[in-house]
Amino acid sequence: MGKETGFLEFKRTDNIDVLPQDRIKNFDEFHKALDTDSRRKQAARCMNCGVPFCQSAMNLSGMVTGCPLHNLIPEWNDEIYKGHDKHAFNRLHKTSNFPEFTGRVCPALCEKACINSQNGDAVTVHDNELYLVETAFKNGYIKPEVPSIRSGKKVAVVGSGPSGLAVADELNHRGHIVEVYEREDEIGGLLMYGIPNMKLDKSVIKRRRKLMEDEGIVFHTNTNIVAGEKANELLNSFDAVVLCCGSKKARSLPIADPEKVKGVYNAVDFLTQTTKALMKADSTSVEALEKQGGFISAKGKNVVIVGGGDTGNDCIATSIRHGAKSVTALEMMPNPPKERTDKNPWPEWPKVLKTDYGHQEAIYLYGKDPREYETTVKTIAVDKKGNIKQIETVKVTFRDGKLVEVPNSEKTIKCEMLLIAAGFVGCEDYTAEAFSVRRSQRGTVLTADDSYHVAGSKIFCAGDMHRGQSLVVWAIAEGRACAREVDEYLMGYSNL
Ligand SMILES: Cc1cc2nc3c(=O)[nH]c(=O)nc-3n(C[C@H](O)[C@H](O)[C@H](O)COP(=O)(O)OP(=O)(O)OC[C@H]3O[C@@H](n4cnc5c(N)ncnc54)[C@H](O)[C@@H]3O)c2cc1C
Ligand code: SF4
């Protein structure tokens, strides 16, 4: 266990954030690592509490708390404290394929369940994880591991987001021949085109791709699998086909259709274009992006974002870097409390206010929190050329379980760009239709209970396409569990 008295001796210290005034000048990652000595002290704060809720992934009151990968957190904290980084990394790698992704973007379900957080500050599990994987890359602990024997079985994975990559990684190491099909020009799914560069530098995904290729996985990018020849080819020439195509069907806003109103965009399209332009630019500075051009720009505009969550926050931060005149984020839910209430005790997932990096930047730049709670768009107005110019908002509240408008609460605000970040309603129709898989009312692919297998076929499904819109850590957990089932299907047993 770390150090017996570590949690009493050392205060929690997070990775150091570059200040908003400096970080909004570029699209660089802004969490700077602690020095090694400080990191060991942070690991020493883990008290090996005996019942490590941090690695439990328990469902309490309808929400999961603790790590969905069941990462062996107390073990590797102890090893970090003792300076055994290589061993610590091996223990982390046992349960997690891509700690470099979760160490950057995971909301740290583990820390919410850390016993230290009951009466104080949780262990910095998330930052410790990032330290371990980056140390492992730096010191050469991570090398291509090519299986010595191949099974001869062939698996096609459609979609290269975190779930598809986890399926591919597991099955390749097991000795199967794995080919991944991705419609975009780069692999990574929403890790690549969705989550902005400030949260996850795209070189991190390219580094992982190179490693996976060296281990034998074949990636076919720019390959959209559609009904007919392409889908049939996969079904005919592979022993199993795993669908990991995400939950990309954006929830629509009937009064503001991006197809019909100029200046209205789906959040992911907006974020993707910025990343694509940035990857072609000379550097990650805001000037280099502007010079590069070819993206949906918020420069000089009053931006309104409909919807909160990670996506809304990423849109705020990206709009700020473009040079938006103002940013307003509309949230239908009420402003959550700053601290846990009695109805939401530890170790439940805390339903508390989170002021994320984009919110902090908006507070710095515009002098106020951009979020307007219990508010939605009621009407929009366009100019003669069909460009959005203003919106009317209205306050909303839940009455008898229904969302209703608050009378006379309408407000008009200027808006030359409206971004829809209202979530997703399942996988896209064409992919599900290409493989004739049935879908639930939530738009997810139907499989047998507690299974990833589409009954009576050689098709499997994992990640957001199976679970619905979720998190990177869940996509990896689903990918791992799905791979085990595919392996059983192919071999009659599995040691994954
Ligand atoms: C803006 C944004 C920010 C987010 N931020 C976070 C965060 O900070 N932390 C976090 O944990 N989660 C975050 N999430 C959620 C997280 O990114 C997803 O839960 C996760 O990426 C799902 O992984 P996946 O592999 O199931 O699908 P995806 O990542 O969506 O990948 C699916 C892939 O399949 C490909 N594909 C689809 N159809 C086809 C086809 N027919 N042929 C070929 N390829 C196809 C797509 O191009 C895509 O690459 C965020 C989501 C968004 C939208
Ligand atoms: S993957 Fe997420 S929940 Fe699991 S240990 Fe890492 S930060 Fe915590």
Side-chain angles (χ1 to χ4, degrees):
M1 61 165 294
K3 188 180 185 195
E4 285 86 341
T5 51
F7 70 103
L8 297 170
E9 278 177 55
F10 308 119
K11 281 208 167 96
R12 176 181 167 115
T13 311
D14 290 286
N15 280 347
I16 303 143
D17 283 356
V18 177
L19 292 173
Q21 54 265 44
D22 296 322
R23 69 186 191 229
I24 60 173
K25 294 176 187 156
N26 57 56
F27 290 81
D28 292 341
E29 286 187 3
F30 56 86
H31 302 295
K32 301 291 167 198
L34 300 181
D35 61 60
T36 307
D37 188 45
S38 306
R39 177 60 53 213
R40 302 218 188 287
K41 286 186 179 144
Q42 289 306 303
R45 294 187 67 246
C46 180
M47 59 167 92
N48 194 7
C49 50
V51 183
F53 289 104
C54 59
Q55 61 185 58
S56 65
M58 281 181 305
N59 193 326
L60 295 176
S61 306
M63 289 182 93
V64 170
T65 188
C67 178
L69 290 167
H70 306 295
N71 278 344
L72 304 166
I73 296 162
E75 278 192 39
W76 40 263
N77 276 330
D78 182 46
E79 298 294 352
I80 296 175
Y81 168 59
K82 289 181 178 145
H84 305 159
D85 289 342
K86 189 171 183 184
H87 188 56
F89 173 72
N90 288 340
R91 299 304 287 160
L92 168 60
H93 193 43
K94 187 174 168 54
T95 54
S96 169
N97 303 66
F98 313 120
E100 71 271 33
F101 302 153
T102 44
R104 285 177 166 82
V105 304
C106 186
L109 291 77
C110 51
E111 293 185 15
K112 314 302 182 280
C114 172
I115 202 157
N116 270 325
S117 72
Q118 198 176 7
N119 293 308
D121 294 326
V123 173
T124 54
V125 180
H126 175 268
D127 291 353
N128 292 2
E129 178 177 333
L130 186 58
Y131 161 80
L132 272 186
V133 65
E134 288 307 324
T135 303
F137 272 113
K138 195 170 81 196
N139 293 352
Y141 305 155
I142 302 177
K143 294 200 174 70
E145 289 171 21
V146 184
S148 49
I149 302 173
R150 289 283 177 187
S151 67
K153 305 280 185 192
K154 288 176 67 186
V155 181
V157 179
V158 186
S160 66
S163 62
L165 292 181
V167 171
D169 196 42
E170 290 286 292
L171 292 176
N172 180 54
H173 283 133
R174 176 75 170 112
H176 304 308
I177 297 157
V178 183
E179 299 191 28
V180 181
Y181 293 82
E182 169 56 55
R183 67 182 170 197
E184 286 289 353
D185 57 348
E186 296 282 353
I187 69 154
L190 288 169
L191 296 170
M192 178 60 80
Y193 295 135
I195 297 177
N197 204 68
M198 310 64 106
K199 258 167 47 181
L200 175 60
D201 192 287
K202 304 311 163 194
S203 63
V204 173
I205 304 166
K206 293 185 178 182
R207 178 177 66 183
R208 180 54 70 173
R209 174 177 180 166
K210 166 87 174 58
L211 186 73
M212 292 175 80
E213 283 175 334
D214 289 348
E215 292 176 329
I217 296 174
V218 177
F219 290 103
H220 304 274
T221 46
N222 294 310
T223 309
N224 194 8
I225 304 299
V226 293
E229 209 182 313
K230 283 219 170 100
N232 292 339
E233 191 187 311
L234 298 196
L235 289 170
N236 292 333
S237 50
F238 287 87
D239 297 295
V241 175
V242 189
L243 304 180
C244 295
C245 302
S247 169
K248 288 283 191 69
K249 205 199 273 184
R251 180 170 284 118
S252 60
L253 201 62
I255 54 158
D257 182 347
E259 304 277 318
K260 295 187 185 140
V261 188
K262 289 185 203 155
V264 177
Y265 304 97
N266 283 324
V268 173
D269 297 337
F270 169 74
L271 295 168
T272 299
Q273 286 205 15
T274 292
T275 301
K276 286 193 171 177
L278 195 64
M279 284 167 74
K280 289 190 206 134
D282 296 340
S283 78
T284 50
S285 70
V286 296
E287 292 82 15
L289 176 77
E290 198 173 329
K291 193 169 138 221
Q292 181 63 40
F295 62 97
I296 306 162
S297 175
K299 188 170 184 176
K301 294 183 179 155
N302 295 293
V303 178
V304 177
I305 299 155
V306 183
D310 284 327
T311 311
N313 177 57
D314 291 336
C315 287
I316 296 173
T318 301
S319 301
I320 285 176
R321 282 161 180 74
H322 287 182
K325 194 168 174 187
S326 72
V327 180
T328 308
L330 308 182
E331 306 232 7
M332 280 209 283
M333 301 308 286
N335 191 354
K338 287 203 174 84
E339 292 184 355
R340 286 180 186 275
T341 61
D342 291 346
K343 287 186 185 149
N344 177 216
W346 177 92
E348 282 185 7
W349 174 263
K351 293 171 195 148
V352 295
L353 180 71
K354 182 179 166 198
T355 300
D356 214 330
Y357 76 105
H359 308 129
Q360 292 165 7
E361 291 166 3
I363 291 167
Y364 156 74
L365 199 63
Y366 307 117
K368 70 178 183 74
D369 195 313
R371 290 170 285 189
E372 292 199 10
Y373 296 94
E374 298 179 286
T375 305
T376 191
V377 195
K378 186 167 181 176
T379 59
I380 63 165
V382 294
D383 65 15
K384 283 181 191 153
K385 291 182 181 161
N387 296 302
I388 189 164
K389 61 172 189 182
Q390 70 180 36
I391 64 165
E392 184 189 31
T393 64
V394 66
K395 287 271 176 202
V396 285
T397 187
F398 282 94
R399 205 168 292 144
D400 302 327
K402 279 194 183 152
L403 198 67
V404 292
E405 290 183 5
V406 176
N408 305 320
S409 63
E410 287 81 359
K411 204 170 101 181
T412 301
I413 47 179
K414 280 189 183 167
C415 168
E416 295 88 32
M417 179 182 273
L418 186 76
L419 299 175
I420 306 172
F424 302 88
V425 288
C427 71
E428 288 153 294
D429 298 334
Y430 82 92
T431 316
E433 285 159 11
F435 292 93
S436 306
V437 288
R438 287 171 53 230
R439 279 169 287 170
S440 68
Q441 284 191 332
R442 294 195 308 126
T444 55
V445 170
L446 281 173
T447 53
D449 282 350
D450 295 326
S451 163
Y452 299 85
H453 195 182
V454 176
S457 73
K458 57 164 79 167
I459 301 170
F460 294 76
C461 182
D464 280 7
M465 191 180 191
H466 177 247
R467 175 184 186 86
Q469 177 192 357
S470 188
L471 294 171
V472 171
V473 65
W474 274 114
I476 299 171
E478 288 239 334
R480 289 172 67 86
C482 175
R484 198 175 310 123
E485 212 175 327
V486 174
D487 189 34
E488 257 169 29
Y489 168 82
L490 295 175
M491 307 301 286
Y493 74 103
S494 178
N495 61 6
L496 283 177

